[in-house]
């Protein structure tokens, strides 16, 4: 008899640990937690993609190793703008370039004496802290779906800096946290 | 108890059926994915990995390429190169001075398109490579063409893709 009472007592204790004293309330809490986890998973997978900056090309605006987010809904209502810092995907979203848009579709871009020229006129770039004096490139006309992206660190050698025209479909979204300005 | 046994038996039968299905009717996309992951593993080297181990890896790597493979490499900041034939590719990998430092490579975001009759495939992917001791990673978009040659998927063409067109 004593053994039976003890077993029942143990079962009750385990049940209390597993589902609490009020099972209905525990289920509600569990559902809320699962819902919250699912929401966070969906947000961080499809809306705010977490990224870690690697490399010096966006310095000093964004430092190597910094964590940031790409807002994938940023361009639902409007097209990317000049000056936006965007994520440009490679073959998929797991690795991307973080660059600034300096030229828009249909424009002609060139580099002259380190300055970006759009349709022959120098572009005002107040965000530049590491400007260049020797970047040179002949005029290049962008296609109707092409944007020209470049990093903020223009003190790098021209050849070592990844920059160029990219198609609209490759632009995943806009960076969320502003860097040093 | 009988019910439990029946359920267990059904689970076992389903498990065996699934295994037979995947073993006999292998999805070509999965085979190609595994093949390319194998390429990345064999192209990764530990720092100070022994010469014999490195040589063995490169030999195995070579077997994943067709004899007349074409490799076109054009990475910003480096000179463009074209290699044809498997032996040349293996020699280039063997002679690479940076391998001694250790290199880890992996392929991400593979987009596999099968050709007609599932006899060829075009794969777009991103190479992520890190040389031991260097803080920057190399991120390079690439295109691989594979063909089924004598029942085996072999790489016939490799080319780098310019994500940002200068």
């Amino acid at each position: 008899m004593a053994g039976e009472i003890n077993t029942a007592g143990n079962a009750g204790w385990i049940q209390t640990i597993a589902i609490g004293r009020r099972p209905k309330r525990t289920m509600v809490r569990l559902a809320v937690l699962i819902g919250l986890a699912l929401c966070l998973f969906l947000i961080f997978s499809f809306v705010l993609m977490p990224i870690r900056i690697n490399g010096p090309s966006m310095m000093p605006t964004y430092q190597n190793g910094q964590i940031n987010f790409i807002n994938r809904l940023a361009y639902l209502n409007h097209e990317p703008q000049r000056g936006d810092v965007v994520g440009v995907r490679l073959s998929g979203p797991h690795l991307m370039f973080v660059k600034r848009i300096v030229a828009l579709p249909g424009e002609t871009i060139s580099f002259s004496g380190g300055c970006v020229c759009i349709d022959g006129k120098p572009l005002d770039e107040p965000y530049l802290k590491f400007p260049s004096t020797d970047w040179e490139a002949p005029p290049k006309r962008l296609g109707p779906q092409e944007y020209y992206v470049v990093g903020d660190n223009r003190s790098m050698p021209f050849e070592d800096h990844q920059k160029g025209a990219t198609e609209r479909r490759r632009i995943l979204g806009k960076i969320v946290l502003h860097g040093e300005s | 108890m009988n019910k439990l046994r029946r359920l267990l038996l059904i689970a076992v039968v389903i498990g065996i059926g699934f295994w037979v299905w995947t073993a006999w009717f292998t999805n070509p996309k999965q085979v190609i994915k595994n093949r390319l992951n194998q390429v990345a593993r064999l192209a990764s080297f530990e720092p100070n990995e022994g010469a014999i181990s490195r040589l063995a890896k490169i030999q195995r790597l070579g077997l994943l390429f067709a004899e007349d493979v074409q490799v076109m490499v054009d990475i910003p900041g480096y000179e463009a190169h074209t290699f044809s034939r498997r032996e040349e590719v293996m020699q280039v990998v063997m002679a690479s001075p940076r391998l001694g430092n250790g290199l880890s490579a992996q392929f991400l975001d593979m987009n596999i398109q099968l050709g007609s009759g599932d006899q060829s495939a075009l794969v777009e992917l991103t190479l992520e490579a890190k040389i031991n001791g260097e803080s920057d990673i190399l991120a390079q978009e690439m295109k691989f063409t594979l063909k089924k040659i004598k029942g085996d998927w072999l790489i016939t063409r490799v080319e780098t893709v310019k994500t940002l067109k200068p």
Side-chain angles (χ1 to χ4, degrees):
Chain A
M1 267 315 252
E4 280 173 35
I5 290 165
N6 195 18
T7 310
N10 278 343
W13 177 76
I14 290 166
Q15 193 176 329
T16 309
I17 290 280
I19 56 170
R21 287 196 185 91
R22 299 184 186 90
K24 266 189 187 169
R25 196 173 282 186
T26 305
M27 290 307 283
V28 170
R29 280 185 191 141
L30 197 67
V32 168
L33 271 178
I34 290 171
L36 200 67
L38 193 68
C39 278
L40 286 175
F41 172 76
L42 291 174
I43 286 170
F44 288 121
S45 299
F46 301 105
V47 183
L48 287 177
M49 287 182 69
I51 56 162
R52 188 161 55 85
I53 311 272
N54 188 292
S57 86
M58 280 302 287
M59 275 174 71
T61 316
Y62 296 102
Q63 305 284 337
N64 190 16
Q66 264 185 349
I67 302 291
N68 214 309
F69 297 91
I70 294 290
N71 176 9
R72 297 194 70 174
L73 304 182
Y75 300 124
L76 272 187
N77 295 326
H78 62 88
E79 288 302 302
Q81 307 289 306
R82 196 191 321 278
D84 287 356
V85 178
V86 295
V88 179
R89 70 159 178 81
L90 283 85
S91 69
H94 285 100
L95 272 178
M96 63 180 93
F97 290 126
V98 172
K99 303 281 174 191
R100 194 182 291 275
I101 294 176
V102 290
L104 303 174
E107 292 182 336
T108 300
I109 179 170
S110 62
F111 287 92
S112 175
C115 280
V116 173
C117 295
I118 305 296
D119 296 329
K121 292 173 193 155
L123 178 69
D124 181 30
E125 295 186 281
Y127 41 80
L128 280 192
K129 297 287 181 283
F130 293 166
S132 151
T133 52
D134 58 355
W135 280 25
E136 299 285 340
K140 175 189 169 74
R141 192 174 168 80
L142 299 176
Q145 285 292 315
E146 280 186 328
Y147 291 80
Y148 198 96
V149 295
V150 60
D152 285 357
N153 185 0
R154 312 281 168 82
S155 64
M156 292 171 71
F158 186 75
E159 293 75 24
D160 292 353
H161 191 109
Q162 296 243 36
K163 64 201 160 307
T166 187
E167 297 129 352
R168 170 68 182 88
R169 64 184 175 90
R170 283 183 180 269
I171 297 175
L172 286 179
K174 189 176 173 181
I175 208 157
V176 173
L177 304 174
H178 292 285
E180 280 179 33
S181 55
Chain B
M1 203 59 186
N2 270 344
K3 219 175 189 178
L4 188 71
R5 271 185 196 159
R6 265 184 219 157
L7 277 173
L8 269 174
L9 193 68
I10 289 168
V12 168
V13 168
I14 289 172
I16 291 171
F18 180 73
W19 178 76
V20 169
W21 177 264
T22 50
W24 284 33
F25 304 101
T26 323
N27 181 357
K29 284 190 178 182
Q30 193 55 49
V31 176
I32 291 165
K33 206 172 175 183
N34 293 344
R35 175 60 40 116
L36 291 170
N37 283 330
Q38 195 183 357
V39 170
R41 270 198 308 277
L42 291 171
S44 299
F45 298 92
E46 294 292 322
N48 304 319
E49 190 166 327
I52 295 171
S53 160
R54 208 188 305 169
L55 191 68
K57 266 182 159 180
I58 294 169
Q59 293 283 356
R60 282 169 61 200
L61 184 67
L63 297 176
L64 306 178
F65 291 85
E67 271 186 44
D68 56 349
V69 63
Q70 287 262 316
V71 180
M72 279 150 283
V73 182
D74 187 3
I75 298 175
Y78 297 90
E79 209 177 314
H81 286 287
T82 299
F83 311 105
S84 44
R85 302 197 67 75
R86 178 200 286 169
E87 285 70 29
E88 196 185 349
V89 175
M90 286 164 67
Q91 276 168 10
V92 168
V93 176
M94 242 183 284
S96 176
R98 283 176 144 183
L99 290 188
N101 300 341
L103 169 84
S104 69
Q106 64 171 328
F107 293 139
L108 303 168
D109 297 319
M110 288 186 205
N111 303 315
I112 304 171
Q113 291 170 314
L114 290 170
S116 57
D118 292 357
Q119 294 301 303
S120 66
L122 181 70
V123 186
E124 290 173 352
L125 53 80
T126 302
L127 161 71
E128 184 191 43
K130 193 173 187 320
I131 295 167
N132 201 40
E134 290 187 14
S135 59
D136 291 352
I137 57 161
L138 168 73
Q140 179 61 50
E141 203 172 339
M142 301 183 84
K143 240 185 230 176
F144 280 72
T145 308
L146 292 96
K147 277 189 184 150
K148 213 172 185 180
I149 299 169
K150 293 176 188 166
D152 204 9
W153 284 100
L154 296 179
I155 298 161
T156 56
R157 189 182 168 93
V158 182
E159 57 190 304
T160 51
V161 175
K162 282 186 175 154
T163 310
L164 303 177
K165 295 176 196 91

